[in-house]
Amino acid sequence: MNDDMHDDGFDGELLEEELRQATAILDPVPAQLRQLAVEAFALHDLDARIAELTFDSVVDAIPVRGATDVPRMLTFRAGEVTVDVEVSAQGLMGQLLPPQQARIEVLGGPQTATSVVADDMGRFTSDAPPAGPFALRLRTGGEVVVTEWLRA
């Protein structure tokens, strides 16, 4: 007798399978969402530390009256490493703290990574503004840090 089968004849595994099949037919995962999930997983780096978003001007800042096309300010933190980023229609500009050289990839999907280099002061720029979900992968010496994914 199956562990999920009770004295009343109820089979939990069978019910679960039937619900999965019904959900796949009646409420399938949108193709675009499935593709984003596959792309994010393809970019997953098991050795990387995750830099958490600690400030987002869209959420945390007080709006300025009459200001239009204001750059989005983001701050990420992973242990002692902080990344400040300004996102605008002109691209990205940021700084790594403590100041250090790094190679930074702006991730937008498996085929759309853009590489930039941070100078000795930790400053970096990219002329390509992110057009959709994006994250940053920083390589500083032997360490890899990846920011949370955000929508541009």
Side-chain angles (χ1 to χ4, degrees):
M1 184 193 246
N2 188 333
D3 287 341
D4 286 335
M5 182 82 82
H6 301 289
D7 292 337
D8 60 0
F10 179 76
D11 186 348
E13 287 182 7
L14 179 61
L15 176 61
E16 182 179 349
E17 182 57 31
E18 288 176 359
L19 289 173
R20 283 184 200 280
Q21 290 175 5
T23 301
I25 294 168
L26 300 172
D27 189 22
V29 175
Q32 184 179 13
L33 181 59
R34 183 184 307 272
Q35 184 63 32
L36 286 173
V38 168
E39 289 173 358
F41 185 76
L43 292 169
H44 183 69
D45 192 335
L46 295 176
D47 296 330
R49 288 193 310 157
I50 302 298
E52 290 185 53
L53 180 65
T54 59
F55 177 82
D56 184 346
S57 62
V58 169
V59 177
D60 302 319
I62 299 171
V64 177
R65 178 186 246 163
T68 59
D69 199 25
V70 177
R72 184 177 185 183
M73 306 300 291
L74 304 166
T75 300
F76 299 95
R77 179 162 298 165
E80 300 298 316
V81 176
T82 300
V83 183
D84 291 320
V85 182
E86 178 180 302
V87 182
S88 70
Q90 288 73 42
L92 298 176
M93 181 171 58
Q95 184 169 20
L96 195 59
L97 298 169
Q100 56 191 296
Q101 289 184 340
R103 195 181 83 201
I104 301 164
E105 295 169 280
V106 182
L107 307 173
Q111 309 302 322
T112 59
T114 304
S115 291
V116 295
V117 176
D119 64 16
D120 291 338
M121 298 299 292
R123 299 173 298 197
F124 60 91
T125 60
S126 170
D127 294 337
F134 74 98
L136 302 176
R137 181 185 296 145
L138 303 102
R139 297 180 190 277
T140 61
E143 186 175 38
V144 178
V145 175
V146 178
T147 66
E148 293 182 29
W149 283 83
L150 293 174
R151 185 168 291 280

